[in-house]
Amino acid sequence: MAKPGLGKRHQVIAVIVRKRAAAGEPCYLCHQPIDTRPEKDGGPPTRSRWSFSAHHIEERNNGGQTVLANYAPAHYGCNSSWGDGSTQRSKRKPWRPRKW
Ligand SMILES: [Zn+2]
């Protein structure tokens, strides 16, 4: 999770965005619901495709700010930061929603 520049502010925002997802706000990218439960309670494993992540609407590389307005809930697998980063983006296959 630790990217350079992602500090305490990001952590605070991520908690808020997770609550929004838990309240029913769908993935910003694929519009499917996000299961925010901990893995031990039946949720998806941390950092798996369908787990929660806080998505930067405007990527930080493009000048996106670490402010709440620039974040939305997304699946970890839908988030652009998934995998080893931007080099893989164009090669990734689209996900298909599935039941747990
Ligand atoms: Zn998604």
Side-chain angles (χ1 to χ4, degrees):
M1 177 56 104
K3 281 192 212 168
L6 290 180
K8 173 124 177 87
R9 183 193 284 265
H10 173 84
Q11 302 294 330
V12 171
I13 291 171
V15 168
I16 297 169
V17 176
R18 178 186 284 271
K19 283 180 183 164
R20 276 163 50 187
E25 186 170 336
C27 174
Y28 182 80
L29 299 167
C30 77
H31 309 295
Q32 298 296 319
I34 302 172
D35 190 339
T36 61
R37 293 175 301 172
E39 185 176 1
K40 66 179 172 59
D41 293 337
T46 304
R47 301 200 195 186
S48 63
R49 267 175 208 192
W50 302 103
S51 63
F52 166 84
S53 73
H55 172 67
H56 289 85
I57 294 170
E58 185 71 48
E59 291 189 38
R60 294 192 310 130
N61 293 346
N62 290 336
Q65 301 289 304
T66 308
V67 294
L68 184 57
N70 192 37
Y71 281 77
H75 296 109
Y76 196 74
C78 295
N79 196 326
S80 57
S81 66
W82 186 75
D84 64 355
S86 57
T87 55
Q88 286 291 326
R89 278 177 91 175
S90 58
K91 297 178 188 168
R92 288 209 326 255
K93 294 174 186 161
W95 319 114
R96 278 191 223 97
R98 64 175 171 82
K99 289 281 188 193
W100 288 104

